[in-house]
Amino acid sequence: MINTLKRILTDKTFFITLILSILSLCFGQVKSTDIDFKTIMSLSSLLIIIAIYQDLGILKFIANYIVSKCHSTRLVFLVLLLCSFFGSMFFTNDVAILTLIPIFFNISKRIPFPKIFAISLLTIYANLGSSFTPFGNPQNIYIVSFYKLSVIDFLGMSIPFGLISLITLLFSVLFIKNKQIEKQSSNIISINRTKTVWLLLASIVVLLGILSVIPVIISLLISLLSGLTLSKKIFKRVDYAVILTFINFFIIVGAISRINFVSGLITNHTNNALSTFISAIVTSQLISNVPAAVLLSKFTNHVYALFLGVSVGGLGTIIASLANLLASRQYAGYSQNRSNFQFFKTFTLLNMIFRERKISCVNAQKISKLYRNRECLPL
């Protein structure tokens, strides 16, 4: 309990949002309805399930198995990118980064990779891949909950964006020199098949709750029960700071949205699809795409433009996405270089290049054409 509390209090993101939430209370009012408890329960149940997957070693087992079958540097990197892209769809972009970057550094000891370039692309495609599913990242969970979207509604928005991202991924590996490598031996990771089957069944129930097929409280109870029966120690490892940070986001957004000047400014910049799309991108660069989605949703019913904006907005600055921050922290922890300026420079440059390419692919006209009938939902 003490260690868990210490991790929460030393989490910089939580601490900053806590200070901002306290300050925001001095300028605006907050209502209990500002906190989306469905989103909080969905996120909590998902974090518990993810922690169990990590504790049972299932994610590393899958990644190590695939990588062990590769015979060239380009193929190894392609597999890592695909693991990042598809893994983030089901286990969130944050988990993809936390799982794959340590594996990448282990591989890079035997295979010469351009580390900063590789980590940057792994992070970019974790962000892009997570946009594909309703539970791939926190902002998607929130958007589905807030706008009461069905699975079909959400996939109608995400599939075109996801397919474009997948195509660019296949071309990205061409920037890695293709060299034949000896068969890579990997650490043998054993998994408990019985526990894995039960965890998969629990995961289905959790996802049904997130998608509003069943009451979300059932998902939360199933995740808690899974933790108690499959791996009790995971409750010490669950990232409670993320949950509390999300609550801080709701408080901040609720207070700010009731400040007349801010309310008027946002209203003027979210009155059509194009302005909503641009506002979501810009806001994400400054305060991260999760709080950007929460803030702008209070003022716009252009759900498709908002979804695209915060998805593209995760590419850019270090703070544009929590996954970006995690990647930076992972690099600093595993790299022997004392200075992180080179990482910051290369990471930001690559993110901006990909962001601009995404903006050029997803413009205002395509927003209307691809999703004309559902881009604007009644509030």
Side-chain angles (χ1 to χ4, degrees):
M1 179 65 72
I2 295 177
N3 290 334
T4 301
L5 184 61
K6 184 178 179 180
R7 282 194 292 112
I8 294 173
L9 295 176
T10 55
D11 187 282
K12 294 181 180 179
T13 306
F14 164 72
F15 185 75
I16 291 172
T17 56
L18 177 62
I19 298 299
L20 291 176
S21 65
I22 294 173
L23 290 175
S24 66
L25 293 174
C26 300
F27 300 96
Q29 296 180 343
V30 177
K31 298 181 180 179
S32 59
T33 53
D34 291 331
I35 300 176
D36 190 327
F37 288 101
K38 181 181 183 302
T39 300
I40 296 300
M41 287 189 286
S42 298
L43 186 61
S44 299
S45 59
L46 194 60
L47 287 173
I48 293 171
I49 288 294
I50 289 168
I52 300 174
Y53 271 101
Q54 288 180 309
D55 188 62
L56 297 182
I58 296 173
L59 300 182
K60 288 186 177 181
F61 172 83
I62 296 172
N64 279 8
Y65 176 80
I66 296 175
V67 171
S68 68
K69 303 299 180 180
C70 299
H71 304 289
S72 70
T73 54
R74 189 172 289 172
L75 185 57
V76 169
F77 190 59
L78 175 61
V79 169
L80 287 173
L81 281 183
L82 290 174
C83 285
S84 181
F85 186 76
F86 288 103
S88 64
M89 292 183 189
F90 302 100
F91 301 105
T92 77
N93 50 351
D94 301 338
V95 171
I97 292 302
L98 291 173
T99 303
L100 289 174
I101 289 182
I103 294 175
F104 167 77
F105 270 101
N106 183 55
I107 294 173
S108 66
K109 294 177 181 178
R110 294 167 289 177
I111 304 174
F113 276 120
K115 293 184 177 61
I116 298 178
F117 177 81
I119 292 174
S120 298
L121 286 189
L122 285 173
T123 307
I124 287 170
Y125 283 105
N127 282 324
L128 294 176
S130 69
S131 299
F132 202 94
T133 60
F135 39 81
N137 53 50
Q139 66 267 24
N140 285 3
I141 294 174
Y142 172 77
I143 288 174
V144 169
S145 174
F146 183 81
Y147 290 106
K148 297 178 174 58
L149 301 179
S150 67
V151 179
I152 301 301
D153 287 332
F154 187 87
L155 292 179
M157 298 191 300
S158 66
I159 287 177
F161 182 82
L163 290 177
I164 294 172
S165 301
L166 181 58
I167 292 171
T168 62
L169 182 152
L170 298 176
F171 283 102
S172 297
V173 297
L174 298 178
F175 291 95
I176 296 293
K177 292 182 179 180
N178 194 28
K179 296 181 179 180
Q180 293 296 314
I181 56 176
E182 297 179 1
K183 187 176 180 180
Q184 297 296 305
S185 59
S186 57
N187 296 328
I188 298 177
I189 299 176
S190 59
I191 57 174
N192 187 308
R193 293 188 177 183
T194 301
K195 288 186 176 182
T196 300
V197 171
W198 281 109
L199 182 57
L200 289 172
L201 293 175
S203 300
I204 293 173
V205 176
V206 168
L207 297 182
L208 290 176
I210 292 174
L211 298 174
S212 301
V213 178
I214 61 175
V216 70
I217 186 64
I218 295 178
S219 294
L220 182 59
L221 292 175
I222 289 297
S223 65
L224 291 170
L225 181 62
S226 299
L228 291 173
T229 55
L230 299 178
S231 182
K232 293 182 181 179
K233 59 184 178 182
I234 62 100
F235 291 107
K236 297 179 181 180
R237 301 177 182 177
V238 172
D239 196 348
Y240 298 104
V242 172
I243 301 172
L244 296 175
T245 297
F246 228 69
I247 294 175
N248 288 337
F249 282 149
F250 285 126
I251 294 174
I252 294 168
V253 168
I256 291 177
S257 64
R258 293 187 181 88
I259 300 175
N260 292 333
F261 171 76
V262 175
S263 177
L265 183 65
I266 296 177
T267 300
N268 291 334
H269 289 83
T270 55
N271 54 14
N272 59 60
L274 175 59
S275 61
T276 300
F277 177 63
I278 295 175
S279 296
I281 294 174
V282 173
T283 307
S284 296
Q285 304 307 302
L286 302 175
I287 63 173
S288 183
N289 54 4
V290 176
V294 177
L295 177 61
L296 298 182
S297 67
K298 308 293 184 183
F299 299 90
T300 183
N301 54 0
H302 292 281
V303 57
Y304 190 41
L306 177 62
F307 162 76
L308 289 175
V310 295
S311 297
V312 175
L315 308 180
T317 63
I318 288 289
I319 64 172
S321 167
L322 180 58
N324 295 355
L325 286 170
L326 291 174
S328 177
R329 289 163 63 174
Q330 290 278 83
Y331 175 80
Y334 285 96
S335 176
Q336 295 180 353
N337 297 329
R338 295 185 177 182
S339 175
N340 292 321
F341 177 74
Q342 187 62 39
F343 175 84
F344 173 81
K345 184 174 66 173
T346 305
F347 182 89
T348 304
L349 177 62
L350 287 171
N351 267 266
M352 287 184 174
I353 291 173
F354 273 82
R355 187 188 67 199
E356 294 307 312
R357 292 303 301 166
K358 288 297 177 185
I359 292 174
S360 66
C361 292
V362 187
N363 54 46
Q365 292 180 346
K366 290 183 180 179
I367 289 175
S368 297
K369 289 180 181 178
L370 290 173
Y371 212 65
R372 185 182 300 276
N373 295 328
R374 292 172 180 165
E375 73 161 72
C376 186
L377 296 180
L379 289 174

